[in-house]
Amino acid sequence: MSPADTVFAGLLGEAFADLAAPVRALHASDGPPCWQGQCVVSRGSHPLARLCAWAARLPPAGQGVPTTVQFQRRSDQEIWTRRFGAAAMRSRMWPHHGRLRERLGLVQFDFGLSVSNGGIVWNTLGVRVFGLLPLPAAWFARVHCRESADALGRYTFDVQASLPWIGAVVRYQGWLLPG
C-alpha cells in the first residue's frame, strides 16, 4: 500500500505532502502501527455531557495520562484503538463522499479535513446516532480536532467537544511518538 492509498492521504490529496513530518508519518501507510505519549483529558460536568461522553466512549478525565494509539490501516478504512491509561476508545474511519466518516461508540461523525500550518484540521459537518438518526449540525459546530507537530518533533493533537445548553463534553490534548 502506498502513502496515497491511506484514508487521510486520499482525502487530503496533494495537500498531504504539505503536512509536517510527524503528522504525515502518523497517517502514512508504512507508518508505525503504534504511537505512544501522554495527554490531559478534561470532561464536562453537566449530566447530559456525561451521557454524551459515555455514548461516544470518550476517555475519563486525568492529567499526564499515558496514551497509546494503535492503527489498523487499509486503503478503504482505518481502525484506531486509543488507550488513555486503562480506558480504551476505538473508532473506525473511512472516506464517504469526500469527507472523513468516523464511527465512535453509538455516534457517527462526518468531518471535513483541511491542511493548515502543516497540520490537519477536522471540522464537524454531520452527526448521526446509531448511523441512522441525523442530529442538527449546528449542535456540533464546537466539535473539532487539530493535529500538528510541536517544536520537539512530536505529533500533537487537540480534540474539543462542546454542545449548546450542555457546555464542555470533553477535551483531550497531548503528544505522541512512534512506539
Side-chain angles (χ1 to χ4, degrees):
M1 181 166 54
S2 73
D5 290 336
T6 68
V7 169
F8 283 79
L11 287 168
L12 293 172
E14 292 180 10
F16 189 78
D18 297 333
L19 294 174
V23 179
R24 196 171 50 251
L26 183 126
H27 291 291
S29 62
D30 59 352
C34 183
W35 289 61
Q36 299 176 344
Q38 67 176 233
C39 74
V40 174
V41 181
S42 57
R43 295 271 295 262
S45 59
H46 191 283
L48 289 176
R50 290 194 299 271
L51 178 63
C52 291
W54 171 83
R57 310 293 192 263
L58 298 174
Q63 299 286 321
V65 178
T67 305
T68 303
V69 182
Q70 293 180 309
F71 302 94
Q72 295 174 313
R73 296 181 180 99
R74 296 195 325 231
S75 62
D76 63 336
Q77 71 174 321
E78 296 183 9
I79 297 172
W80 292 22
T81 304
R82 304 163 184 92
R83 296 195 188 284
F84 301 90
M89 183 174 84
R90 183 180 169 126
S91 69
R92 185 170 63 95
M93 299 177 209
W94 65 99
H96 182 75
H97 300 294
R99 300 174 173 183
L100 176 68
R101 180 162 280 179
E102 179 178 26
R103 180 71 182 241
L104 188 61
L106 303 176
V107 185
Q108 180 176 288
F109 293 91
D110 283 342
F111 294 102
L113 302 180
S114 61
V115 173
S116 175
N117 298 319
I120 303 175
V121 177
W122 304 35
N123 289 307
T124 306
L125 302 175
V127 179
R128 293 177 178 269
V129 178
F130 305 116
L132 300 171
L133 178 63
L135 299 175
W139 289 1
F140 300 91
R142 295 182 302 175
V143 175
H144 51 87
C145 172
R146 166 101 177 129
E147 301 179 49
S148 58
D150 66 12
L152 300 174
R154 302 179 297 191
Y155 167 89
T156 61
F157 56 90
D158 186 357
V159 178
Q160 300 179 53
S162 293
L163 298 173
W165 309 291
I166 295 173
V169 175
V170 71
R171 180 174 188 187
Y172 56 96
Q173 56 187 354
W175 57 268
L176 299 170
L177 289 169

